[in-house]
Amino acid sequence: MGFPRYAGWMVHGLERTVASNYTIEELLVLVGKNTVRIPHFQRGQRWGPGDVAKLFDSISKGYPIGTLLLWNRPGPEEALWVVDGQQRITALVNVLLREEALPPPSRALYFDLATEQFVWHPQNGPRDIHLPLREAYKLPRVMAWLRERDLDGDLQNRAFKLADRLRNYRVPAYSVETEREGDLGPLREIFDRINTFGKRMNRAEVFHALTSLSTPGERDVSQLAHEIGTWGFGTVAHNTLVLCVLSVRGPDVFRDFRTEFAGGSSRLGEAIDRADTALNRTIDFLRNDAGVPHFDLVPYQHLLVALVRFFTIHENPTEWERVLLRRWFWRAAVHGPLPKLGSTGTMRLALNTISNDRSAIETVMALLDEFPDERRPIEIGLMHWNRADAKTTLCAIAHLRPLDPASSNGAGPAEIDIAEVLTIDRKAALPRVFDNSTTGEAASSVANRVYWSPAANGDPALELASARSAVLESHAIFQAAADALRTGDCESFVRARMGDIRKRVEDFVDAGAEWERSTRPALASL
C-alpha cells in the first residue's frame, strides 16, 4: 500500500535519485566546505542533550540512525541541501567539531568506558574513564589521550572501538534532483512524509516548512511576520500568526492544512493578503477601542485570533458593534479560557461563533452570550509576561498615558510612546523602580515596574523621586507611594502603589467590559 497522494498537490517528480552513503568524517568535511547546507525552511536545533546522547549511542552500537535526504541543487552555488536530517548533522558537527558551540567543557559529551554510556556531565567531573568525544573522533588523538592514562586493556579496547565507529560508521543518504528547476513540490511532499527521526515538528513548524518553499515573489508567513514587525505594534509569535492566517479561511484553525496550501497554491497568497488586512483592522481596534497598545499586551492568544477572523468577515463594523466587541474582548480577557474547555476549546468556541452566516451585530451578541458577564477582580501580582493579569495591569497603566520625567519641552514632560518602547526593547521599556539590588516579592511585583524610554539614561527611582505630581500620577504613583519612593523604601512603595494600581485597573476593565450595561442592539441597527 503506497502513500496517499494529496489532492491538489501537483508534483512533477524527481529527475534523478542517487542512493549513496557517507562516513561521519566525509559528512563533516562536506559541511566544513559548505557543500552540505541547511536551507532556510528548516527548523532550528530542537534536540536536547538526551537526544544527542541517544544518537551517539546508536552509532556506537552500529544501529541505523535513519536516511538523509539531500537536494542536489544545480546552479552557480551548487550544493547539497538537507531536506531531512538536519538534527543529526547538527548534532554531529556540534559534538565532534565545534568546541565554541558547546556549553563549558564540563558539559561536553563523554563516553564512560566502564559503563559504556554517553554522559554530558559526569558526577564529580570527568575522570580518566571518561573519553571526550572530541578526542575520540580522530585515532591519533585517542592514542594520545590513552597514553596519558593507565587504563587496562578492556577499557583501551572500548576506546579504540568507539573511535573506529566514529570514523567508519556510514550514514545512508538519497540525493535527489527535481525534474523542473525550481519545482519544489516533490521536496514538500517528501519532507512531509519522512519526518521519522527525532522530535515531531509542531504545527507552526510544519506550516512554515510546507509553505515557505514558494516561488520568487510570492509571500509566505515569514514575510508577513517581518511586515508586521515594521508597523510599530510589535510582532506576533509565529505559531499565533499561523493560526491567524488559517482563521481567515475557516473557523477550524486546527485542521489538517497540508493539502490546502500545497504546491505553491495561490490560496496561500490570498490568505496572507487577507490576514494582512485583518491584522491592520485588529490593531486599529486594539489601540483605539480596547486600549491595548501592543501585541505583547493582548491577554490571551484566542482573543487575537478571534479578532482577526472577525475583521476578515466584518470589515467595517458600526460604532455600536465595536462597543459590544470591546465589551466581549475585556470580559473574555478577564475570565480567560472557559472551564472544561481550556485554551483550545475556548478558541474553537469563539471562532465557530464568528460565522459568515451572521451579521456583525449578531456575531458580537453571540460572543457575549457565550462568555461570562460577571465582574471578576484582576490579581495585581508578580511581573510575568505570560500572565494575563500582568498584561491587563500594564494596559491599564498605559491608559494613564505615562509621562517621561527625563524629557522636557515647552509644554512639559513628553508622553512615552508605549508601542514604540515595547517594540524597541520590552525589558528596557519596563525597568524596576528599585533595581536588582532589591530582592523579594516586592522587587518582583508589577507595582515595582514603570514604563520608561530605553533612550533615557537616568535611574527610574531617582528621576521619579524628583518628578512633579502630574508625572507621578501618570505612572499610578500617588501620595503614599511617592513618599516611600523619596525615602527609598521599596516595600512601602510597592504596597502603596499596589493599591493605586488596583483602583486604576478596576476602572479600566470596568470601562472596557461594561459588566452591567445592556447588550441589546442600538435602535439604529434594527
Side-chain angles (χ1 to χ4, degrees):
M1 179 177 177
F3 289 101
R5 191 172 185 82
Y6 299 130
W9 197 321
M10 299 301 296
V11 178
H12 293 281
L14 301 175
E15 175 69 24
R16 187 168 63 133
T17 301
V18 178
S20 58
N21 55 67
Y22 299 91
T23 65
I24 291 176
E25 183 174 18
E26 288 170 342
L27 274 176
L28 297 179
V29 169
L30 291 174
V31 172
K33 292 180 177 179
N34 208 26
T35 301
V36 169
R37 305 181 188 179
I38 307 296
H40 73 91
F41 64 86
Q42 278 280 22
R43 54 183 171 164
Q45 180 71 5
R46 290 281 308 285
W47 279 9
D51 301 303
V52 176
K54 287 179 182 178
L55 172 71
F56 281 95
D57 185 64
S58 294
I59 292 171
S60 71
K61 293 174 179 176
Y63 293 170
I65 63 171
T67 302
L68 304 177
L69 179 65
L70 308 174
W71 173 31
N72 190 347
R73 185 175 185 178
E77 296 186 12
E78 183 172 355
L80 294 170
W81 296 81
V82 181
V83 177
D84 189 69
Q86 177 208 4
Q87 306 295 320
R88 285 161 283 175
I89 291 176
T90 302
L92 292 171
V93 170
N94 283 347
V95 170
L96 299 178
L97 290 185
R98 296 180 182 168
E99 296 188 17
E100 72 279 2
L102 291 168
S106 63
R107 290 289 296 162
L109 187 60
Y110 296 84
F111 182 64
D112 187 321
L113 296 173
T115 65
E116 298 186 85
Q117 300 291 320
F118 290 88
V119 291
W120 282 99
H121 186 57
Q123 190 174 8
N124 301 322
R127 293 174 291 166
D128 282 347
I129 60 171
H130 293 127
L131 172 62
L133 261 66
R134 287 198 299 272
E135 303 299 332
Y137 172 51
K138 296 286 189 181
L139 184 58
R141 295 176 68 174
V142 174
M143 295 176 67
W145 185 85
L146 289 172
R147 279 197 298 269
E148 297 174 1
R149 291 158 177 81
D150 184 19
L151 300 178
D152 64 36
D154 284 344
L155 297 182
Q156 291 191 38
N157 288 337
R158 291 173 185 176
F160 285 127
K161 180 180 177 181
L162 178 63
D164 179 70
R165 288 287 193 194
L166 292 176
R167 290 198 321 277
N168 299 315
Y169 183 95
R170 305 193 76 84
V171 183
Y174 283 111
S175 174
V176 301
E177 296 178 12
T178 55
E179 289 181 351
R180 298 183 179 184
E181 184 175 349
D183 177 17
L184 305 178
L187 299 179
R188 288 193 183 93
E189 188 168 1
I190 297 170
F191 186 90
D192 187 40
R193 291 181 178 186
I194 63 170
N195 182 29
T196 57
F197 195 94
K199 292 190 175 181
R200 183 177 296 277
M201 300 171 73
N202 63 42
R203 283 173 51 82
E205 290 170 331
V206 172
F207 187 94
H208 176 62
L210 296 180
T211 60
S212 64
L213 284 172
S214 54
T215 56
E218 288 186 354
R219 301 170 74 196
D220 60 20
V221 174
S222 295
Q223 290 170 314
L224 176 61
H226 177 74
E227 287 179 28
I228 293 171
T230 67
W231 294 351
F233 203 76
T235 58
V236 181
H238 197 82
N239 62 322
T240 303
L241 191 56
V242 168
L243 295 177
C244 290
V245 172
L246 291 171
S247 76
V248 306
R249 290 182 50 81
D252 183 8
V253 294
F254 302 103
R255 63 189 182 270
D256 184 349
F257 48 70
R258 290 177 297 176
T259 62
E260 190 172 346
F261 300 111
S265 169
S266 61
R267 294 174 184 170
L268 176 62
E270 177 192 5
I272 295 290
D273 290 340
R274 295 176 70 192
D276 184 320
T277 302
L279 279 161
N280 264 297
R281 296 190 181 110
T282 297
I283 289 174
D284 179 71
F285 170 81
L286 290 172
R287 178 186 285 130
N288 299 314
D289 295 81
V292 178
H294 195 273
F295 280 130
D296 285 351
L297 301 187
V298 177
Y300 291 102
Q301 180 190 60
H302 66 266
L303 298 174
L304 178 61
V305 179
L307 286 174
V308 169
R309 177 155 177 78
F310 179 88
F311 284 107
T312 298
I313 297 173
H314 307 293
E315 300 180 0
N316 297 297
T318 66
E319 182 178 352
W320 177 244
E321 290 160 353
R322 294 174 77 96
V323 167
L324 294 183
L325 187 63
R326 183 203 67 215
R327 290 182 188 174
W328 167 78
F329 178 89
W330 279 114
R331 293 180 187 186
V334 167
H335 284 275
L338 300 178
K340 298 183 180 180
L341 291 182
S343 299
T344 299
T346 301
M347 182 180 294
R348 288 186 189 277
L349 174 64
L351 292 172
N352 285 325
T353 304
I354 303 169
S355 168
N356 286 293
D357 298 330
R358 289 186 170 122
S359 65
I361 188 65
E362 290 171 335
T363 297
V364 289
M365 293 286 287
L367 284 170
L368 286 165
D369 286 342
E370 295 286 0
F371 286 77
D373 60 359
E374 298 86 9
R375 179 181 277 103
R376 183 178 179 183
I378 299 295
E379 180 181 348
I380 313 299
L382 301 182
M383 177 61 203
H384 291 302
W385 279 104
N386 60 347
R387 291 183 61 96
D389 52 10
K391 295 181 180 184
T392 300
T393 299
L394 295 175
C395 285
I397 297 174
H399 192 65
L400 298 175
R401 304 173 70 174
L403 300 174
D404 183 356
S407 70
S408 182
N409 54 41
E415 183 179 333
I416 297 174
D417 188 329
I418 303 298
E420 180 181 46
V421 297
L422 285 174
T423 299
I424 293 173
D425 187 337
R426 188 171 73 174
K427 183 177 180 180
L430 280 159
R432 296 183 179 191
V433 178
F434 291 93
D435 64 21
N436 293 329
S437 63
T438 304
T439 60
E441 287 194 4
S444 301
S445 169
V446 69
N448 192 36
R449 303 275 184 161
V450 288
Y451 282 110
W452 207 249
S453 172
N457 295 319
D459 177 80
L462 294 177
E463 294 284 353
L464 290 168
S466 60
R468 294 183 300 168
S469 59
V471 173
L472 295 176
E473 290 173 6
S474 74
H475 291 271
I477 301 173
F478 293 86
Q479 190 62 55
D483 291 342
L485 175 65
R486 295 186 182 103
T487 60
D489 187 342
C490 176
E491 290 191 5
S492 296
F493 168 78
V494 168
R495 185 166 55 249
R497 189 172 182 236
M498 192 91 73
D500 295 337
I501 290 176
R502 183 173 289 107
K503 178 64 169 66
R504 273 71 200 172
V505 172
E506 290 175 357
D507 291 345
F508 174 77
V509 172
D510 286 350
E514 294 185 317
W515 303 103
E516 298 174 359
R517 291 290 186 92
S518 170
T519 58
R520 67 178 183 273
L523 292 176
S525 67
L526 297 176

